[in-house]
Amino acid sequence: MAWIGEGEHQRQDFKYKIADSAKLARTVSAFANTDGGRLLIGVRDDGMLCGVKSEEEIYMVYRAAEDFCTPVPHVQFSTVVTGGRNIVIANVEPSPVRPIKAHDERGRLRAYIRIADENIVASPVHLRMWKDLASSKGICMHFAEKERKVLAALESAEGVTLQQAVRKSGVGRYAVITILSRLIRYGVARWWFNGTVFLFAQN
């Protein structure tokens, strides 16, 4: 199977077996909130095939989507036999309605996004961008004093965290989240994940 040679990445994840549907739901959430992706179940992290019992694994993924994600994302299943072993493929489609949330380790509902081969809790700025996209009203951006202050706080090419943007701009946290989401939407600012936190900077 050629996909295995790609390794794990933003749109692909390997699972040896499914022991915890609630934990798997975080991967389903991340795929649905980003670009979609596929789970190859019956494949170890190093790409070795181990195979699974198809019906059991499909049921566990189905539970992850149906019972542990809110709202329920769309997942399609297929099974292939390769090397004499059953590999279940679960294709998670990108959701037109976001965020898709799943429970974290403490049982709190969180929205996840997929970055490289990791599932990362979405930032408040992502949540605001999704809220704006879901709005039936057009989103207008007025470039007034608060917007100028937030943009000035993003002048460092190294980027600033949300908390730093709030502190440097002197603008309230909720307003900064809204302004950042719209600056990003209109291509004036950008975001990235440095492995620990989300950073924001001028484009």
Side-chain angles (χ1 to χ4, degrees), residues 171-199:
V171 176
R173 178 181 169 85
Y174 180 78
V176 170
I177 290 169
T178 300
I179 292 167
L180 276 176
S181 72
R182 295 177 183 178
L183 289 173
I184 292 167
R185 182 174 181 179
Y186 288 106
V188 181
R190 58 195 172 94
W191 68 269
W192 67 95
F193 187 70
N194 73 352
T196 306
V197 294
F198 289 98
L199 297 172

Side-chain angles (χ1 to χ4, degrees), residues 1 49 51-52 54 78-89:
M1 184 184 292
L49 302 176
V52 291
S54 302
S78 59
T79 302
V80 299
V81 179
T82 180
R85 302 180 186 276
N86 289 332
I87 306 299
V88 171
I89 302 168

Side-chain angles (χ1 to χ4, degrees), residues 96-109:
V97 179
R98 302 178 188 183
I100 303 293
K101 294 185 177 181
H103 291 91
D104 67 9
E105 295 87 347
R106 297 183 182 180
R108 299 170 298 184
L109 271 176

Side-chain angles (χ1 to χ4, degrees), residues 21-88:
S21 290
K23 184 176 180 180
L24 180 67
R26 297 167 208 158
T27 301
V28 175
S29 163
F31 280 154
N33 288 330
T34 313
D35 299 318
R38 60 178 169 261
L39 289 158
L40 299 182
I41 307 162
V43 181
R44 298 181 187 274
D45 289 346
D46 59 6
M48 292 292 292
L49 302 176
C50 55
V52 291
K53 294 180 180 179
S54 302
E55 297 82 3
E56 292 180 9
E57 304 304 320
I58 288 174
Y59 173 72
M60 294 294 281
V61 178
Y62 177 82
R63 282 202 66 211
E66 291 283 332
D67 297 344
F68 296 103
C69 286
T70 304
V72 177
H74 190 256
V75 184
Q76 292 182 314
F77 299 97
S78 59
T79 302
V80 299
V81 179
T82 180
R85 302 180 186 276
N86 289 332
I87 306 299
V88 171

